[in-house]
Amino acid sequence: MRRADVLDKITIRWSAGIAAALALQAILLSALFWWQTVSAGQADLGRELSEDCAALSRLSADRLADAIGDRVNGDLHRTGFIGLFDRDGRPTMGNILTPPPELRAGTGPHRVTLRRADPAGVAPDEAEAVACRTAGGDLLVIGRDLDFYQMIQHLVWRALMLSILPAAALAVLGGIVLARRGQARVRRFRFHLDEITDGGLKARLPVRGGEDEFDLISAGVNQMLGRIETLMAELRGVGDDIAHELRTPLTRLRAKLERGGDAVSSPEDVRLLVDGAISDIDQALHVIGALLRIRAIEQGVRRGNFEPVDLGSVLRTAVELYQPIAESKGVALSERIAPDRIVRGDPDLLMEALANLLDNAVKFTPAGGSVRAELAETPSGLRVLVSDDGPGIDPGEREAVFRRFHRSRARDAPGHGLGLSLVAAIAHLHGFAVSIQPSERGCSIAIDCPAAT
Amino acid sequence: MSQVLLIEDDAGTAEEIALELRRAGHRLQHERFGRTALAAASAGSWNAIILDRMLPDIDGLEVVRRLRENGDRTPVLVLSALSDLGERVRGLDIGGDDYLCKPFALVELVARLEALLRRPLGAGETALRLGPIELDLLRRTAFRGERALELLPREFQLLEYLVRRGGRVVTRSMLLQDVWGYRFEPRSNVVDVHMGKLRHKVDLDDETPLIRSVRGQGYRIDAPG
């Protein structure tokens, strides 16, 4: 419920904001219009009146009287004012009943209320007016009423009102609609997220195929979910594999002890039984040890401990270490090692990785076959390549073999399926890349060390 | 009988180590904290110290440093997690004498401890002799009685290592570390194959076998009689 309240508040804020913005825009537009028409027009009018008054005041009394008469008679729309007053303020000519008291000669245009001196127009009228002295000392007042400007001002005001109200209404409505739409999508989002939280990692957020923010977020979340799902599956698989790997030796151990318990008759038998039991337990411990080791390496032995290592010398020692075991199997183990190639790394871990590769290669190569260990310069750095004449690895399995407990179907030989994971973990720690290289026969595993190291 | 000071904060690990060391005939005192351990180290007379790198109060390496500062030269075996394995532990430049990565086999711990207890191993000698075996370290030649042994360089090193520790068990990983120069656990029995070849050359069928494999532990060379 609280979530809905928050969203309603957002709705109100959004629509109020949009309405305010629209109203402000209308007011600014109207003000501009008013300033350009009414205000500027009145200023022009004032200037015009001042010039007119000055021109008339310079006329002789007769010609002035004629002009005043012409003006009064010619003013069919009754928009103009003109009047001549003697020194005492009594009207002598024109259509103005009394001189406005605030109007003095030579003070520029003023807005005043004037009374028209004819039977139909006694009502006072807003007018812009100026006063000036004639040569004879009389006060000449001329003015023009402001009906036109007042009408425009009225129009502007009405237009403003008429536009603001619907705009505000539209803004509120639009805000509500938009917010509601967002709200609906958020609600759907929440629904799917709740579903995923409840364990449905297979569920995905809906993507409309558009490019809006929601779709971008959805696509990102979906990608993340995919990765989590894969990792979870891998983790579950590893859990199953650990259980399986440990059950095999333990089952064997149990059977052995059960059978042995009945059959032993001499101390020699007991010794054999215990030896067998220890070897089974060692196998289980070896699996656990290897797992812990991979974990420790993945967590990262601090790279600050790295030192310059002659990779060729490590490889040569590894080959020398495996030479007797290869000989005893009838496998030819050969090396081709470029001298003096230094990398930064942990010599013990590098040895462990290379020994693991050789271990696999010798193990999977049948008698009469060969294993080749090479260290060569490549355009991008150094490459260690260990190739064998074994059954090889299916192209489809080339990624999977580096996962924990993966055991190739083709390579059905004893082992706990952790060797290559260990190699991968060590390579990764060093920033090296391990890959299965395509080869005509057997298996070729490369460790690529970038030149920068 | 030797006196060993064990400095380890994990009760379970300490108990296992203690049990194994007592079985191997060592007397043992256990301390859980670096400070109390330092006090115990200066109060007693010890043949060796086993020290966990990670202690609740002070860094294990700091304990070694202070010991050495006080002129205490007792051999120290440092126990370290792989992820805490710093350059200082590896190089042992603070005066530790050997190290082991957790998790380790107790057999390994005992073998390494005993190797430390019997130091120094006559460095600077030019010839070694154990029973009928004679090694000339300068000419790199080996004899069993009158019979010259045709050994590869690595086989000579293996035999020398065994002879220097005559009568004591050496584990496979000690051989890998000290003869080949790398610390790691190989998956196959590579060391055994090397040792097998060496044994073929040292012990002929009609001779008393000198090199023995010790079940579940490693190898030992014994002078007959």
Side-chain angles (χ1 to χ4, degrees):
Chain A
M1 280 300 105
R2 201 183 301 152
R3 207 185 303 138
D5 286 351
V6 171
L7 282 175
D8 277 344
K9 269 182 206 150
I10 291 173
T11 312
I12 292 167
R13 263 208 305 265
W14 268 90
S15 24
I18 294 172
L22 282 175
L24 190 70
Q25 192 200 8
I27 288 168
L28 282 175
L29 206 63
S30 304
L32 187 72
F33 186 67
W34 177 85
W35 181 65
Q36 284 289 311
T37 55
V38 179
S39 175
Q42 284 182 8
D44 283 349
L45 179 62
R47 225 171 7 255
E48 200 180 301
L49 288 171
S50 299
E51 283 165 11
D52 197 16
C53 193
L56 286 174
S57 66
R58 281 196 291 273
L59 295 175
S60 64
D62 293 346
R63 302 212 28 204
L64 181 60
D66 286 349
I68 292 174
D70 287 350
R71 295 268 176 110
V72 172
N73 292 330
D75 184 21
L76 295 175
H77 298 291
R78 296 153 63 92
T79 57
F81 289 95
I82 189 159
L84 197 63
F85 302 90
D86 64 14
R87 286 178 195 279
D88 300 326
R90 275 188 302 264
T92 53
M93 287 182 77
N95 57 5
I96 301 173
L97 212 55
T98 49
E102 65 269 39
L103 204 60
R104 294 184 193 290
T107 58
H110 281 71
R111 178 175 295 199
V112 293
T113 306
L114 295 177
R115 282 172 173 279
R116 201 175 283 278
D118 59 56
V122 288
D125 206 349
E126 285 274 317
E128 188 81 1
V130 289
C132 42
R133 288 276 165 205
T134 62
D138 291 337
L139 187 69
L140 175 66
V141 173
I142 62 174
R144 184 114 19 107
D145 79 3
L146 291 172
D147 286 354
F148 174 68
Y149 295 103
Q150 275 163 351
M151 187 188 72
I152 290 176
Q153 198 160 335
H154 181 69
L155 275 177
V156 169
W157 185 247
R158 205 168 56 184
L160 179 63
M161 284 302 117
L162 281 176
S163 67
I164 277 186
L165 289 177
L170 202 67
V172 170
L173 209 69
I176 290 173
V177 169
L178 282 177
R180 280 290 147 94
R181 255 173 51 143
Q183 213 173 334
R185 288 193 76 173
V186 169
R187 240 185 243 125
R188 237 172 305 147
F189 232 71
R190 286 291 318 190
F191 175 75
H192 287 287
L193 286 177
D194 286 346
E195 228 176 35
I196 293 159
T197 311
D198 291 343
L201 267 184
K202 292 238 174 296
R204 292 289 179 271
L205 296 177
V207 180
R208 287 184 177 177
E211 280 289 310
D212 69 4
E213 292 84 345
F214 277 101
D215 280 339
L216 288 178
I217 294 174
S218 297
V221 171
N222 285 345
Q223 208 173 358
M224 185 180 77
L225 285 171
R227 179 90 185 108
I228 292 175
E229 202 188 345
T230 323
L231 287 175
M232 290 282 287
E234 227 167 85
L235 207 60
R236 249 198 303 272
V238 168
D240 293 348
D241 288 336
I242 294 173
H244 180 77
E245 288 295 327
L246 293 181
R247 198 177 59 175
T248 311
L250 290 179
T251 311
R252 208 163 46 218
L253 172 64
R254 189 177 192 288
K256 219 176 271 179
L257 290 176
E258 220 166 39
R259 261 184 286 116
D262 301 334
V264 285
S265 52
S266 67
E268 184 66 17
D269 288 349
V270 175
R271 189 67 241 177
L272 278 174
L273 186 62
V274 169
D275 280 355
I278 287 176
S279 125
D280 285 335
I281 290 173
D282 277 349
Q283 196 187 330
L285 286 178
H286 198 79
V287 171
I288 296 170
L291 274 173
L292 289 173
R293 212 172 148 65
I294 293 174
R295 180 96 191 92
I297 291 167
E298 280 176 348
Q299 273 177 347
V301 179
R302 283 166 308 182
R303 291 190 182 79
N305 301 331
F306 281 9
E307 52 188 275
V309 182
D310 181 346
L311 197 56
S313 144
V314 180
L315 185 57
R316 200 169 296 117
T317 307
V319 168
E320 186 252 337
L321 186 63
Y322 275 86
Q323 200 58 260
I325 207 169
E327 269 169 36
S328 72
K329 268 200 72 181
V331 171
L333 174 54
S334 64
E335 58 173 51
R336 203 170 66 204
I337 297 173
D340 299 329
R341 292 301 191 274
I342 309 295
V343 296
R344 276 196 74 76
D346 181 315
D348 295 334
L349 291 178
L350 289 174
M351 179 66 179
E352 189 166 3
L354 297 181
N356 258 296
L357 290 183
L358 287 176
D359 200 294
N360 273 338
V362 170
K363 189 156 56 192
F364 290 117
T365 300
S370 72
V371 170
R372 278 101 36 213
E374 293 163 51
L375 171 67
E377 196 107 22
T378 63
S380 55
L382 293 177
R383 166 172 278 192
V384 176
L385 193 67
V386 175
S387 345
D388 64 43
D389 288 346
I393 292 174
D394 282 349
E397 280 185 308
R398 284 187 182 155
E399 295 280 323
V401 287
F402 295 107
R403 284 212 295 269
R404 274 163 231 196
F405 292 117
H406 180 88
R407 208 178 286 164
S408 166
R409 249 169 267 121
R411 300 188 142 216
D412 195 19
H416 50 54
L418 288 171
L420 281 181
S421 315
L422 191 66
V423 174
I426 292 172
H428 188 250
L429 178 76
H430 286 79
F432 301 164
V434 203
S435 57
I436 312 278
Q437 292 299 310
S439 55
E440 281 170 32
R441 66 202 159 119
C443 168
S444 245
I445 300 186
I447 299 182
D448 285 299
C449 324
T453 53
Chain B
M1 169 130 17
S2 53
Q3 306 273 356
V4 177
L5 178 61
L6 171 64
I7 310 170
E8 163 68 70
D9 65 311
D10 181 65
T13 311
E15 200 172 312
E16 278 180 44
I17 294 174
L19 209 63
E20 190 68 22
L21 289 185
R22 291 206 176 97
R23 187 178 301 152
H26 302 287
R27 271 223 297 260
L28 186 107
Q29 184 179 328
H30 173 215
E31 291 294 341
R32 292 185 51 202
F33 297 98
R35 292 183 202 292
T36 52
L38 274 171
S42 49
S45 155
W46 307 98
N47 300 103
I49 296 174
I50 299 174
L51 170 73
D52 187 8
R53 167 91 159 77
M54 298 291 276
L55 294 172
D57 53 349
I58 36 180
D59 189 325
L61 296 186
E62 180 62 19
V63 174
V64 182
R65 200 185 59 75
R66 290 197 205 167
L67 280 179
R68 297 298 183 244
E69 233 172 45
N70 298 338
D72 190 334
R73 305 239 67 86
T74 314
V76 176
L77 174 60
V78 179
L79 307 179
S80 168
L82 180 64
S83 47
D84 297 321
L85 190 60
E87 209 167 352
R88 298 212 297 151
V89 181
R90 193 196 300 281
L92 298 171
D93 59 348
I94 30 78
D97 298 271
D98 196 2
Y99 72 94
L100 257 184
C101 280
K102 290 180 171 183
F104 49 82
L106 289 169
V107 175
E108 192 69 43
L109 176 76
V110 174
R112 284 175 187 270
L113 180 71
E114 294 187 341
L116 284 183
L117 288 170
R118 316 258 167 108
R119 279 187 178 178
L121 292 165
E125 292 168 16
T126 56
L128 291 175
R129 173 182 268 282
L130 185 105
I133 297 205
E134 251 180 275
L135 298 178
D136 183 332
L137 299 180
L138 293 179
R139 268 179 271 167
R140 314 297 282 177
T141 53
F143 283 88
R144 175 169 182 164
E146 296 297 305
R147 183 165 64 87
L149 303 174
E150 300 289 328
L151 300 180
L152 296 173
R154 192 67 80 190
E155 290 163 350
F156 185 90
Q157 283 175 280
L158 282 171
L159 186 58
E160 177 191 344
Y161 192 80
L162 283 171
V163 167
R164 281 187 188 276
R165 290 158 187 77
R168 280 176 273 150
V169 173
V170 296
T171 64
R172 292 174 183 83
S173 64
M174 284 165 78
L175 288 171
L176 270 173
Q177 180 192 331
D178 295 330
V179 176
W180 277 274
Y182 294 94
R183 268 180 186 262
F184 76 108
E185 297 280 332
R187 284 193 292 154
S188 304
N189 54 339
V190 272
V191 176
D192 296 328
V193 179
H194 280 272
M195 285 303 294
K197 288 182 69 182
L198 176 63
R199 282 168 83 177
H200 264 291
K201 294 181 179 176
V202 174
D203 300 327
L204 296 181
D205 288 345
D206 55 348
E207 290 172 330
T208 321
L210 299 178
I211 300 175
R212 304 224 183 123
S213 63
V214 183
R215 216 186 310 265
Q217 301 190 14
Y219 295 90
R220 193 177 67 202
I221 193 163
D222 290 310

